[in-house]
Amino acid sequence: MYRPGMKLRSSSRRLVIGPLVVFFVAGAFLVNAEPAHACSASSNPGAYAYGSALGPDALIVCASTASGAKAGSSGGASSTTVGQAKPRVVATPPKPTTTCRIVTKAVFLGPPTYATRYVDTPVCVSNAQLPPPSKPASPTGVTTITQATPTVPAASSSDQSSFRPDPIQLWAASSLLHSGDRVDLIAKTTTHLKQAVILGQSVTVRFTPTLVRWNFGDGPTGWLDIAAATQTRTFAYSGSQSVSATVRFTAAFRFAGQSGWTSQAGYLPSDDSVTLVIADQPPGPSPAAKPNKPRVRLVVNDCQTQPSSLGCP
């Protein structure tokens, strides 16, 4: 019992900290949970279902298939006739049940794709148990026991791969300039393809550059057509100047045997930057001194003998 003036014991503090620890541990499991697949399992046995989802920097393409009987189907029922010298009534055992769950494992692939695959494997556990024998009854004849076949859920598999566009390359004609010089800048990129195999199906992903945005140090421009990936600029002030470009790609995928491309809404970005060094213009050459030209004078007499003659200096 708690009375005024008493101190709380450490055990009560542990009771408060315990739930907090459980909360943080549970939160960690929630944060590190496996990402959801981009498509659900196929509903037809032996058929494939395809899908895609756009992440912050990658396109996720997946395939799934179902094999065996459909979930919820029953294999029928079996009958057994029991005959004995002293027949007895046997109660029908309860219907066995089977519980299945999907275990997802992450598999990291090496070059050339460096993709992460997620493989789903069904794990089924049966909790069927035989009931204890019933009490013998009076001999009335032969008893037939009918038992239903347990339901077998359909086994499904799904897998997915991540695809990222190639990084762009920002190229400058010269990294050392003088103020007022013109320089060519190019965000080098092109349409390119990437391939992988998902559940034995070959898939090709196409990345197409569509939009570009520049930043020449005075704030980013708006999104421009990819034709603006080449720019010519001049810089009026000396010093180091950072220039960056961001390209947006559209993505589409196609599995083997498909004639058309499936486009994914949205864009995937890729950017690059370069630093230019801008120096002051060098001083121009100083003007050359003009040579003294000889002067021609007309005089009446010899200036040496008569210096005061007209025309003499």
Side-chain angles (χ1 to χ4, degrees), residues 163-177:
F163 301 86
R164 292 175 175 81
D166 291 338
I168 67 171
Q169 181 183 3
L170 186 56
W171 177 85
S174 176
S175 59
L176 180 60
L177 309 171

Side-chain angles (χ1 to χ4, degrees), residues 165-191:
D166 291 338
I168 67 171
Q169 181 183 3
L170 186 56
W171 177 85
S174 176
S175 59
L176 180 60
L177 309 171
H178 290 94
S179 57
D181 289 351
R182 298 171 66 89
V183 59
D184 293 331
L185 298 165
I186 303 176
K188 292 186 176 181
T189 183
T190 185
T191 301

Side-chain angles (χ1 to χ4, degrees), residues 96-189:
T97 59
T98 302
T99 303
C100 296
R101 63 189 181 92
I102 301 299
V103 177
T104 303
K105 295 183 178 180
V107 179
F108 176 76
L109 300 180
T113 61
Y114 295 99
T116 300
R117 300 176 56 187
Y118 298 92
V119 180
D120 293 343
T121 304
V123 178
C124 299
V125 178
S126 176
N127 61 354
Q129 296 180 355
L130 294 177
S134 60
K135 295 182 180 180
S138 58
T140 56
V142 178
T143 303
T144 301
I145 303 173
T146 302
Q147 181 177 356
T149 303
T151 300
V152 179
S156 61
S157 299
S158 62
D159 195 5
Q160 66 183 22
S161 292
S162 299
F163 301 86
R164 292 175 175 81
D166 291 338
I168 67 171
Q169 181 183 3
L170 186 56
W171 177 85
S174 176
S175 59
L176 180 60
L177 309 171
H178 290 94
S179 57
D181 289 351
R182 298 171 66 89
V183 59
D184 293 331
L185 298 165
I186 303 176
K188 292 186 176 181
T189 183

